[in-house]
Amino acid sequence: MAMTKDDLKKLAAAKAAEQVRSGMALGLGTGSTAKHFINMVGEKYKSGELTDLVAIATSVRSVELARSWGIPLVSFDTHPVLDLAVDGADEIDPQLNLIKGRGAAMLWEKVVATAAKRFIIISDDSKNVTILGSLAPVPVEVIPFAADAVRPYLEGLGCEAILRQNDHGEAVRTDENNVIFDCRFDSIDDPQRLDQLIKQRTGVVEHGLFIDMATSAIIAGNGEITVVSRETE
Ligand code: 5RP
């Protein structure tokens, strides 16, 4: 029987969970794939197979999930550097550049990824793209005060910027109480340049382009796992 997307996400998460060692300070991602990873690490922690873990999570929901397993949550004051962060993605290009943020957590996700010595992406193979922007919009987190001023700036970069709303038609708020524009570009030929152009606008807090950040990606498809790595070890 063909594996479902969720089966593939579990396979990738399990492979990443093998990388976790006792004593590590972990960064825990957000989304359905990261949730599998947290549950797998949580089970190993609960059984005593992994000990002395601490973690920083990238969203309130991942905080709650980690807490439900009893994984000790810390903050950057005691752990400014993390050993390993593991998270999902919405798009992955061949250079391991990413679009993230479908789950509205890209700000904390980028903070955690930046603080980590290793940043592993886990995914099913539906997220593979040749050029970023092919499947997913780039989410841009903006302070509410600046939203209407920032939108035309973003559209001037060549996208349609759509305010993310919930099922009740209300603007989605992030864990930092900001709003999100989902910016659909036809394709992103120069992700590094777009990264700078979006980031330089006052009122933008962060965006979902993760350039040169992932150290490796574990991608599951057709029952097979592919590991793409920029790690030297
Ligand atoms: C959340 C994210 C997620 O990691 C990304 O959306 C992938 O989600 P999923 O694992 O559910 O496919 O960036 O902000």
Side-chain angles (χ1 to χ4, degrees):
M1 207 171 68
M3 297 186 92
T4 65
K5 249 186 208 179
D6 201 52
D7 292 334
L8 297 174
K9 289 177 180 192
K10 277 187 191 154
L11 269 185
K15 185 82 180 161
E18 289 172 10
Q19 300 283 315
V20 179
R21 302 278 176 269
S22 293
M24 277 188 166
L26 294 175
L28 302 176
T30 294
S32 55
T33 322
K35 184 176 173 181
H36 289 313
F37 175 77
I38 297 170
N39 283 333
M40 288 168 187
V41 171
E43 272 168 24
K44 290 184 186 204
Y45 183 72
K46 202 173 167 187
S47 72
E49 185 183 334
L50 286 170
T51 58
D52 300 321
L53 294 181
V54 294
I56 296 182
T58 55
S59 61
V60 170
R61 46 197 195 283
S62 293
V63 164
E64 285 166 358
L65 184 59
R67 196 169 277 150
S68 75
W69 286 106
I71 298 171
L73 292 160
V74 292
S75 52
F76 290 116
D77 59 345
T78 54
H79 292 79
V81 179
L82 302 172
D83 297 298
L84 171 66
V86 177
D87 205 344
D90 301 307
E91 283 192 1
I92 308 165
D93 82 1
Q95 288 73 44
L96 299 189
N97 294 322
L98 317 167
I99 293 179
K100 287 184 48 54
R102 197 63 228 146
M106 64 278 182
L107 174 56
W108 289 10
E109 289 172 338
K110 206 179 268 191
V111 173
V112 165
T114 304
K117 290 185 211 161
R118 298 170 66 207
F119 177 38
I120 299 181
I121 290 299
I122 47 176
S123 178
D124 68 89
D125 64 355
S126 70
K127 313 288 183 67
N128 283 341
V129 295
T130 314
I131 295 187
L132 290 181
S134 317
L135 303 171
V138 178
V140 179
E141 181 161 347
V142 178
I143 63 165
F145 177 72
D148 290 331
V150 168
R151 177 189 233 142
Y153 172 80
L154 294 172
E155 293 197 325
L157 300 177
C159 69
E160 189 186 2
I162 297 175
L163 184 69
R164 194 179 295 184
Q165 296 181 333
N166 63 20
D167 294 341
H168 307 292
E170 301 150 345
V172 166
R173 294 298 184 115
T174 67
D175 285 336
E176 294 283 358
N177 208 27
N178 294 313
V179 298
I180 293 175
F181 286 112
D182 283 311
C183 296
R184 186 159 289 283
F185 294 86
D186 284 340
S187 68
I188 300 170
D189 299 325
D190 189 345
Q192 283 82 358
R193 175 100 182 109
L194 186 62
D195 171 9
Q196 291 161 6
L197 287 171
I198 298 176
K199 199 67 196 286
Q200 75 186 20
R201 174 72 190 210
T202 303
V204 169
V205 183
E206 197 43 87
H207 60 71
L209 284 171
F210 283 51
I211 310 297
D212 288 334
M213 295 188 72
T215 48
S216 60
I218 299 172
I219 299 168
N222 277 331
E224 278 180 7
I225 294 181
T226 308
V227 180
V228 187
S229 189
R230 290 196 298 204
E231 294 176 338
T232 45
E233 54 183 328

